Amino acid sequence: MKGQAFCLAFFWPETGTATKPSRITAMTETQSKARIQAEAAFGKTQSQFLARNRIISENDAVVQERDEKTMRLRALRMAKEAGGTATPDGMTAAYPAKD
């Protein structure tokens, strides 16, 4: 076919609309069973992977919040044991506690 123009116009409808060729559409509709099973298995594996990542990120957020609260409470306890009064942000106040 060297030097000749090759026309695929017979695939397109004669109405001039830009739709998919019917021959290609028919090929995609009749997929093999193996391909359908492979795509289903891939989709299942991918959804499990995404669900696992979502759970891990939620767990990481809970752990971070717990660690921040533990550090804040530890600072308050240490300030109280040192004899100073503690403020909610974990810093000791400049004045002594009233007894």
Side-chain angles (χ1 to χ4, degrees):
M1 295 192 62
K2 188 175 182 181
Q4 295 179 352
F6 184 68
C7 181
L8 297 175
F10 60 89
F11 280 134
W12 297 97
E14 293 189 24
T15 60
T17 60
T19 60
K20 288 185 177 180
S22 60
R23 186 173 191 180
I24 294 174
T25 305
M27 289 174 56
T28 59
E29 290 176 359
T30 58
Q31 295 179 355
S32 67
K33 290 181 184 180
R35 181 180 175 116
I36 293 171
Q37 290 174 348
E39 287 180 358
F42 176 77
K44 182 178 177 182
T45 303
Q46 187 177 20
S47 64
Q48 289 173 348
F49 176 76
L50 294 174
R52 180 178 179 269
N53 283 343
R54 188 185 76 244
I55 291 169
I56 289 172
S57 66
E58 290 173 0
N59 189 31
D60 288 345
V62 169
V63 168
Q64 183 179 1
E65 289 175 12
R66 183 182 64 216
D67 289 345
E68 290 172 357
K69 183 177 179 181
T70 300
M71 289 174 56
R72 182 179 56 84
L73 292 174
R74 182 177 292 139
L76 288 170
R77 179 180 48 82
M78 291 174 73
K80 184 177 179 181
E81 289 174 355
T85 58
T87 59
D89 62 356
M91 305 300 287
T92 57
Y95 51 89
K98 294 183 180 181
D99 293 334

